[in-house]
Amino acid sequence: MILTVTLNTALDLTYRVRSLRPHASHRVSEVIERPGGKGVNVARVLAALGHEVTVTGFAGGGTGRAIRDRLADVPRLTDALVPVAGATRRTIAIVDELAGDTTQLNEPGPHIAPTEWGTFLDRYEELLPSASAVALCGSLPPGVPVGAYANLVRSARAHGVFVVLDTSGEPLRRGVAARPGLIKPNADELAELTGSHEPLRATQDARRRGAQAVVASLGAQGLLAVTPEGRWRATPPARIPGNPTGAGDSAVAGLLSGLVEQLPWPDRLSRAVALSAATVRAPAAGEFDPAVYEELRGRVTVTGVVSAA
């Protein structure tokens, strides 16, 4: 079983409009509603790939109930979310069909009381012994300690469970110091962590700060990986137009699935890039276009990286 942790779950709403214009009224052509938050998106992609996955984190209010109702329909996915008094947030993605761009609006999430945080920690410790790997994903809701991910990384390592950390800012900085097995920042998050805007140099620095392996997401340019086994660059065959929301989460799912299947790093990276691109073509985060995925898997270019120069 793969465990994903989403402390700030969300009900994802995707609106499609012909053209997004400031200060104007818009007619929405399509509305899509899905359970979300980064770790939930990762879990849904893993389940679609055929892996048994358990989702934990928090869910509360009407939006929390809506998330749990929809997760109940996902094969191979187990709901272990912890109920809270506050209402789970919503995230809104507005897709501009003419420009091919997406505007994202993210609510902050409910305040988590100390007793609710304690209940989650108990649940997490109960789930770890059955986990083959754990993904710690996304932002922290109000009330959760800023060092939460660092503590969760240490707990997983104490159980011998491989940890993927995908967050940003101070939670990432503290989490890296706890020595997770893998972090998956984007270029901006990596630069904020290390102070360097040169991707390879920044990725190597992130490893020195504690991460055993670093896979940096470079958007349309693919992934850059620095690991104990080597360094690689994985790039898609072409820029894929569509909605990029959740593409990074699908990359995490690809890396995790490759890990538990014991694939070599180049195969993990090609799977992650193909899934990420296939998610751009899907209608909502946490999903991917199977035809695009299968078509791209053999066309991702993975090359070794020699130096930071």
Side-chain angles (χ1 to χ4, degrees), residues 71-83:
L71 290 178
D73 297 329
V74 180
R76 295 177 292 276
L77 189 149
T78 299
D79 172 4
L81 293 167
V82 174

Side-chain angles (χ1 to χ4, degrees), residues 90-229:
R90 298 164 298 177
T91 64
I92 300 172
I94 306 172
V95 179
D96 183 327
E97 296 175 339
L98 192 61
D101 291 332
T102 301
T103 298
Q104 189 81 16
L105 305 174
N106 296 327
E107 296 179 355
H111 187 277
I112 304 301
T115 54
E116 294 168 338
W117 177 240
T119 300
F120 165 79
L121 291 176
D122 291 342
R123 178 73 55 85
Y124 182 69
E125 290 291 334
E126 292 169 1
L127 292 168
L128 279 176
S130 301
S132 56
V134 58
L136 308 174
C137 303
S139 61
L140 301 179
V144 171
V146 70
Y149 282 137
N151 291 332
L152 298 182
V153 169
R154 294 187 189 100
S155 294
R157 293 185 63 220
H159 286 275
V161 179
F162 187 92
V163 185
V164 177
L165 177 62
D166 185 13
T167 187
S168 61
E170 186 65 13
L172 174 59
R173 189 184 70 80
R174 297 197 187 194
V176 166
R179 303 186 62 79
L182 170 67
I183 63 171
K184 206 284 303 167
N186 62 33
D188 291 339
E189 293 162 350
L190 187 61
E192 183 182 8
L193 173 67
T194 65
S196 174
H197 291 272
E198 199 291 310
L200 182 55
R201 185 171 290 109
T203 304
Q204 292 170 323
D205 181 63
R207 277 203 71 209
R208 287 191 290 268
R209 291 168 184 260
Q212 296 174 40
V214 181
V215 176
S217 177
L218 306 179
Q221 299 177 39
L223 300 174
L224 173 64
V226 176
T227 80
E229 290 80 19

